[in-house]
PDB file of all heavy atoms in Angstrom:
ATOM      1  N   THR A  72      -1.991   3.780 -13.102  1.00 87.00           N
ATOM      2  CA  THR A  72      -2.092   2.950 -11.906  1.00 87.00           C
ATOM      3  C   THR A  72      -1.211   1.720 -12.028  1.00 87.00           C
ATOM      4  O   THR A  72      -0.549   1.324 -11.064  1.00 87.00           O
ATOM      5  CB  THR A  72      -3.552   2.541 -11.635  1.00 87.00           C
ATOM      6  OG1 THR A  72      -4.357   3.725 -11.558  1.00 87.00           O
ATOM      7  CG2 THR A  72      -3.691   1.759 -10.354  1.00 87.00           C
ATOM      8  N   LEU A  73      -1.166   1.126 -13.209  1.00 90.00           N
ATOM      9  CA  LEU A  73      -0.305  -0.038 -13.413  1.00 90.00           C
ATOM     10  C   LEU A  73       1.171   0.347 -13.309  1.00 90.00           C
ATOM     11  O   LEU A  73       1.973  -0.383 -12.728  1.00 90.00           O
ATOM     12  CB  LEU A  73      -0.609  -0.696 -14.755  1.00 90.00           C
ATOM     13  CG  LEU A  73      -2.013  -1.306 -14.873  1.00 90.00           C
ATOM     14  CD1 LEU A  73      -2.254  -1.833 -16.284  1.00 90.00           C
ATOM     15  CD2 LEU A  73      -2.220  -2.409 -13.848  1.00 90.00           C
ATOM     16  N   ILE A  74       1.541   1.509 -13.853  1.00 92.00           N
ATOM     17  CA  ILE A  74       2.923   1.996 -13.733  1.00 92.00           C
ATOM     18  C   ILE A  74       3.254   2.255 -12.263  1.00 92.00           C
ATOM     19  O   ILE A  74       4.336   1.885 -11.782  1.00 92.00           O
ATOM     20  CB  ILE A  74       3.133   3.262 -14.591  1.00 92.00           C
ATOM     21  CG1 ILE A  74       3.092   2.902 -16.074  1.00 92.00           C
ATOM     22  CG2 ILE A  74       4.453   3.947 -14.234  1.00 92.00           C
ATOM     23  CD1 ILE A  74       3.053   4.101 -17.004  1.00 92.00           C
ATOM     24  N   ALA A  75       2.328   2.874 -11.542  1.00 90.00           N
ATOM     25  CA  ALA A  75       2.546   3.132 -10.107  1.00 90.00           C
ATOM     26  C   ALA A  75       2.714   1.817  -9.348  1.00 90.00           C
ATOM     27  O   ALA A  75       3.525   1.736  -8.411  1.00 90.00           O
ATOM     28  CB  ALA A  75       1.381   3.934  -9.538  1.00 90.00           C
ATOM     29  N   THR A  76       1.981   0.788  -9.747  1.00 93.00           N
ATOM     30  CA  THR A  76       2.104  -0.522  -9.107  1.00 93.00           C
ATOM     31  C   THR A  76       3.506  -1.085  -9.299  1.00 93.00           C
ATOM     32  O   THR A  76       4.138  -1.560  -8.348  1.00 93.00           O
ATOM     33  CB  THR A  76       1.060  -1.507  -9.660  1.00 93.00           C
ATOM     34  OG1 THR A  76      -0.246  -0.973  -9.445  1.00 93.00           O
ATOM     35  CG2 THR A  76       1.166  -2.868  -8.996  1.00 93.00           C
ATOM     36  N   VAL A  77       4.016  -1.007 -10.529  1.00 94.00           N
ATOM     37  CA  VAL A  77       5.364  -1.520 -10.819  1.00 94.00           C
ATOM     38  C   VAL A  77       6.410  -0.751 -10.011  1.00 94.00           C
ATOM     39  O   VAL A  77       7.304  -1.358  -9.405  1.00 94.00           O
ATOM     40  CB  VAL A  77       5.662  -1.447 -12.337  1.00 94.00           C
ATOM     41  CG1 VAL A  77       7.116  -1.740 -12.631  1.00 94.00           C
ATOM     42  CG2 VAL A  77       4.754  -2.398 -13.101  1.00 94.00           C
ATOM     43  N   VAL A  78       6.300   0.575  -9.984  1.00 92.00           N
ATOM     44  CA  VAL A  78       7.253   1.396  -9.235  1.00 92.00           C
ATOM     45  C   VAL A  78       7.177   1.078  -7.743  1.00 92.00           C
ATOM     46  O   VAL A  78       8.202   0.930  -7.062  1.00 92.00           O
ATOM     47  CB  VAL A  78       7.005   2.901  -9.495  1.00 92.00           C
ATOM     48  CG1 VAL A  78       7.809   3.778  -8.550  1.00 92.00           C
ATOM     49  CG2 VAL A  78       7.309   3.243 -10.942  1.00 92.00           C
ATOM     50  N   MET A  79       5.965   0.940  -7.225  1.00 91.00           N
ATOM     51  CA  MET A  79       5.777   0.657  -5.808  1.00 91.00           C
ATOM     52  C   MET A  79       6.330  -0.731  -5.454  1.00 91.00           C
ATOM     53  O   MET A  79       6.999  -0.890  -4.423  1.00 91.00           O
ATOM     54  CB  MET A  79       4.282   0.757  -5.459  1.00 91.00           C
ATOM     55  CG  MET A  79       3.962   0.604  -4.008  1.00 91.00           C
ATOM     56  SD  MET A  79       3.649  -1.093  -3.493  1.00 91.00           S
ATOM     57  CE  MET A  79       2.600  -1.699  -4.755  1.00 91.00           C
ATOM     58  N   VAL A  80       6.106  -1.723  -6.299  1.00 94.00           N
ATOM     59  CA  VAL A  80       6.629  -3.071  -6.045  1.00 94.00           C
ATOM     60  C   VAL A  80       8.158  -3.051  -6.063  1.00 94.00           C
ATOM     61  O   VAL A  80       8.809  -3.657  -5.208  1.00 94.00           O
ATOM     62  CB  VAL A  80       6.061  -4.090  -7.060  1.00 94.00           C
ATOM     63  CG1 VAL A  80       6.824  -5.402  -7.014  1.00 94.00           C
ATOM     64  CG2 VAL A  80       4.583  -4.333  -6.795  1.00 94.00           C
ATOM     65  N   GLN A  81       8.737  -2.332  -7.013  1.00 94.00           N
ATOM     66  CA  GLN A  81      10.192  -2.232  -7.088  1.00 94.00           C
ATOM     67  C   GLN A  81      10.742  -1.594  -5.815  1.00 94.00           C
ATOM     68  O   GLN A  81      11.721  -2.067  -5.243  1.00 94.00           O
ATOM     69  CB  GLN A  81      10.601  -1.425  -8.328  1.00 94.00           C
ATOM     70  CG  GLN A  81      12.093  -1.268  -8.527  1.00 94.00           C
ATOM     71  CD  GLN A  81      12.695  -0.088  -7.809  1.00 94.00           C
ATOM     72  OE1 GLN A  81      12.044   0.929  -7.600  1.00 94.00           O
ATOM     73  NE2 GLN A  81      13.930  -0.207  -7.400  1.00 94.00           N
ATOM     74  N   GLY A  82      10.104  -0.526  -5.349  1.00 90.00           N
ATOM     75  CA  GLY A  82      10.541   0.118  -4.114  1.00 90.00           C
ATOM     76  C   GLY A  82      10.376  -0.792  -2.904  1.00 90.00           C
ATOM     77  O   GLY A  82      11.239  -0.832  -2.020  1.00 90.00           O
ATOM     78  N   GLY A  83       9.287  -1.530  -2.875  1.00 91.00           N
ATOM     79  CA  GLY A  83       9.043  -2.462  -1.773  1.00 91.00           C
ATOM     80  C   GLY A  83      10.064  -3.586  -1.742  1.00 91.00           C
ATOM     81  O   GLY A  83      10.558  -3.967  -0.671  1.00 91.00           O
ATOM     82  N   ILE A  84      10.414  -4.108  -2.921  1.00 93.00           N
ATOM     83  CA  ILE A  84      11.422  -5.166  -2.993  1.00 93.00           C
ATOM     84  C   ILE A  84      12.773  -4.629  -2.527  1.00 93.00           C
ATOM     85  O   ILE A  84      13.486  -5.310  -1.778  1.00 93.00           O
ATOM     86  CB  ILE A  84      11.501  -5.745  -4.423  1.00 93.00           C
ATOM     87  CG1 ILE A  84      10.231  -6.546  -4.723  1.00 93.00           C
ATOM     88  CG2 ILE A  84      12.744  -6.610  -4.601  1.00 93.00           C
ATOM     89  CD1 ILE A  84      10.080  -6.965  -6.170  1.00 93.00           C
ATOM     90  N   SER A  85      13.116  -3.417  -2.921  1.00 91.00           N
ATOM     91  CA  SER A  85      14.371  -2.810  -2.467  1.00 91.00           C
ATOM     92  C   SER A  85      14.387  -2.656  -0.956  1.00 91.00           C
ATOM     93  O   SER A  85      15.395  -2.929  -0.294  1.00 91.00           O
ATOM     94  CB  SER A  85      14.567  -1.446  -3.120  1.00 91.00           C
ATOM     95  OG  SER A  85      14.719  -1.571  -4.507  1.00 91.00           O
ATOM     96  N   GLN A  86      13.269  -2.223  -0.402  1.00 89.00           N
ATOM     97  CA  GLN A  86      13.166  -2.050   1.054  1.00 89.00           C
ATOM     98  C   GLN A  86      13.320  -3.397   1.758  1.00 89.00           C
ATOM     99  O   GLN A  86      14.049  -3.509   2.745  1.00 89.00           O
ATOM    100  CB  GLN A  86      11.818  -1.414   1.388  1.00 89.00           C
ATOM    101  CG  GLN A  86      11.642  -1.054   2.833  1.00 89.00           C
ATOM    102  CD  GLN A  86      10.302  -0.388   3.092  1.00 89.00           C
ATOM    103  OE1 GLN A  86       9.279  -0.837   2.595  1.00 89.00           O
ATOM    104  NE2 GLN A  86      10.318   0.676   3.865  1.00 89.00           N
ATOM    105  N   ILE A  87      12.659  -4.419   1.247  1.00 90.00           N
ATOM    106  CA  ILE A  87      12.728  -5.751   1.854  1.00 90.00           C
ATOM    107  C   ILE A  87      14.152  -6.312   1.770  1.00 90.00           C
ATOM    108  O   ILE A  87      14.661  -6.896   2.733  1.00 90.00           O
ATOM    109  CB  ILE A  87      11.701  -6.693   1.196  1.00 90.00           C
ATOM    110  CG1 ILE A  87      10.288  -6.276   1.620  1.00 90.00           C
ATOM    111  CG2 ILE A  87      11.978  -8.150   1.550  1.00 90.00           C
ATOM    112  CD1 ILE A  87       9.177  -6.925   0.819  1.00 90.00           C
TER     113      ILE A  87
END
Side-chain angles (χ1 to χ4, degrees):
T72 305
L73 295 175
I74 290 170
T76 302
V77 170
V78 170
M79 185 270 315
V80 167
Q81 181 273 330
I84 290 170
S85 295
Q86 186 178 44
I87 289 168

